[in-house]
Structure formats: C-alpha cells, structure tokens
Amino acid sequence: MKKKTQKLLGLVMAAAVAASMLAGCSRKLSGTVATDGSTSMEKVIGALGEAFMEQNDGVTFTYNPTGSSPGIQAVQEGSCDIGLSSRALKEDEKNSGLTETILALDGIAVIVHPDNPISDLDVDTIARLYTGEITNWKDVGGNDAPVVLIGREAGSGTREGFESITDTKEKCQYRQELTSTGNVITAVAQNPDAIGYASLASLDDSVRALTVGGVAPSEETVKDGSYAIQRPFVLVTKTDAKLSEAAQAFFDFATSADAAPLISKAGAVAAN
C-alpha cells in the first residue's frame, strides 16, 4: 500500500511539473519595447519591430528617430530599452557602462541629383570636395557650377562614419547640416548642384548614388568589403542592466538568423 501511495504521489508531482512547463511555454509575451536613436536605421528597425509585433501581439514596439548620439544618451539615462547607433561606440561610452552589439553593416552612399553628369568619384576626390579644396563641378568633369555640400548635423552616426572614412573630421565646409537622412535626400533631390551622403538602406529614386572608386554601393559590395564607405548599425544596451522580458525577446530576435532576410530586404547586410 505504501509503494502504491508513493507511486501515486510521484505521478501527481510529474503531472504538476508538466503542467507548469506547458503554462510557461504558452504564456503570452506582453509589455513595451522602446528604441531610440539613428534615423538611418529607420527601415531596418521598422521592419524588425513590425515582424516582432506580428509574432507577439501583446507587445508594443516603439522607435524614436532622434539620431545616434541622442539614442546612446537615452540608454544611459534609462529612457529607452535599446539604443540605435549607426556608428561604433566610442571608448568613453563603453567605459561609462554601455555595450554595443553589431546588428548589421550599411553602406554610406554618396548621392547627387539625377541630372548631375558625374557618375564616379574616389574617396580622395570626395574628401577634397567636402573640405572645399574643389569648389566647382567642372574641376571633376561635371558642369560649370558651384558644389553645394549637404551633410548631417554634429552627433550623427552617418556623419561620424563618413568623416572618419574620408578623413575629413572637423574639416567639412557644409552648406547645410541636416538632422535626418530623409532631409539630406530631399535637399539633394531638389538641387542639381548638390552632393550629400546617406544610408544605403534609405535611398530612393529621387537621387542617384555615385560609384566610389568604381564600386557601386550594394549589399554584396558592403558584405565583401569592396565598397569603401561603410559603417555598422549597432544595438546599444547597458552593460550591467537586465533587459525586460519583452526587450530581451526582441533583442534575441533581431540578432538571430531569422531576422537576416528582413534586414537584407531593408537594404542592409545582417551581421548574423
């Protein structure tokens, strides 16, 4: 009788454990995932956020397009779960308790108005244009017209990447410094004499991307490294702080192989 009782208790306990595991597996994910930062990452993060909410209809995903540096600051201040940066973190930012995770790679396209006859420039010539050494398009084979330099505001990850690669930091003679990738594209699209730079993932038909040293910006040339002007898309988190369950689930999804096709469709190259 004692053995039968022990066996029965064992079966009851096993059933309880199984029921608990099943309940845990079927528990619906809920909450909010707040992201803040790079405007260049809009298409990529938008695609990932939309797909994540489709899989988890109890979760609200938000994206605040403030720019890379404000996004990094938002993580530090705790006003968002995950920061978005289109540049690598600086050493002092890492030392302040932040961790970067590379989500994808993105080409920075050098863009002109569709009517501009120039089709190719090398990195050195681009630098000479932006520093004001070359001021007329005729000097690089174009029209007799002044070069109108369009760029991003200080603190932009796109600007940081562009100026670092072209070695023009604090030397650029901008006519306009704009606060988003979309604004740069619009400004170049409206001026036949303008030149600008923008995320490859954000381009549309209103502008034309130049080849750089004979290499066109594309997913393939960014991936194989032959396109010279490229930078990372980074997820920024606090090093010693645990993400909420919903935010961790999004982070795991975004950095998984399952997210790669979505990142690719959005115009970037997935890190995984």
Side-chain angles (χ1 to χ4, degrees):
M1 184 71 179
K2 186 176 180 181
K3 289 184 177 179
K4 287 184 177 181
T5 302
Q6 289 176 334
K7 185 176 181 180
L8 181 60
L9 286 172
L11 290 171
V12 170
M13 290 177 65
V17 170
S20 176
M21 291 177 65
L22 184 60
C25 290
S26 61
R27 186 162 57 85
K28 188 175 181 180
L29 191 65
S30 62
T32 300
V33 182
T35 65
D36 189 312
S38 170
T39 63
S40 297
M41 292 177 67
E42 180 176 6
K43 284 188 178 180
V44 169
I45 209 68
L48 294 176
E50 183 178 345
F52 184 73
M53 284 194 293
E54 286 178 359
Q55 297 173 15
N56 303 277
D57 59 9
V59 175
T60 300
F61 180 90
T62 64
Y63 160 61
N64 190 20
T66 58
S68 295
S69 292
I72 292 167
Q73 185 177 355
V75 178
Q76 289 175 319
E77 295 174 347
S79 58
C80 74
D81 298 299
I82 300 170
L84 309 171
S85 176
S86 52
R87 63 167 174 82
L89 289 183
K90 300 172 183 177
E91 284 306 312
D92 64 318
E93 292 168 337
K94 293 178 182 179
N95 293 336
S96 72
L98 297 179
T99 295
E100 69 174 40
T101 301
I102 296 177
L103 175 69
L105 298 175
D106 176 57
I108 301 176
V110 179
I111 57 174
V112 295
H113 189 279
D115 293 340
N116 191 318
I118 298 296
S119 60
D120 177 77
L121 296 171
D122 59 26
V123 172
D124 179 65
T125 303
I126 292 167
R128 291 167 65 203
L129 285 165
Y130 266 89
T131 57
E133 184 180 340
I134 299 172
T135 60
N136 195 299
W137 281 111
K138 69 179 181 180
D139 296 329
V140 291
N143 298 324
D144 184 3
V147 178
V148 178
L149 301 172
I150 309 295
R152 290 291 305 278
E153 81 287 5
S156 157
T158 309
R159 174 168 167 167
E160 177 83 18
F162 174 81
E163 292 184 354
S164 295
I165 294 164
T166 59
D167 194 24
T168 57
K169 193 171 180 63
E170 298 181 359
K171 302 175 187 175
C172 291
Q173 305 296 308
Y174 296 111
R175 173 78 65 85
Q176 290 180 276
E177 299 178 46
L178 303 174
T179 58
S180 75
T181 294
N183 288 342
V184 171
I185 291 172
T186 298
V188 174
Q190 293 175 345
N191 190 333
D193 301 325
I195 184 170
Y197 50 79
S199 166
L200 174 61
S202 301
L203 295 189
D204 58 36
D205 293 338
S206 67
V207 293
R208 180 166 52 81
L210 301 178
T211 58
V212 176
V215 180
S218 69
E219 181 178 345
E220 292 72 24
T221 58
V222 170
K223 184 181 293 185
D224 66 23
S226 59
Y227 184 71
I229 308 177
Q230 59 172 279
R231 43 70 188 276
F233 279 169
V234 173
L235 302 180
V236 184
T237 53
K238 283 188 175 180
T239 305
D240 297 323
K242 187 177 180 181
L243 290 171
S244 69
E245 185 179 15
Q248 185 63 57
F250 172 76
F251 184 95
D252 293 341
F253 164 70
T255 55
S256 71
D258 292 338
L262 296 170
I263 294 172
S264 177
K265 190 173 181 181
V269 179
N272 293 322

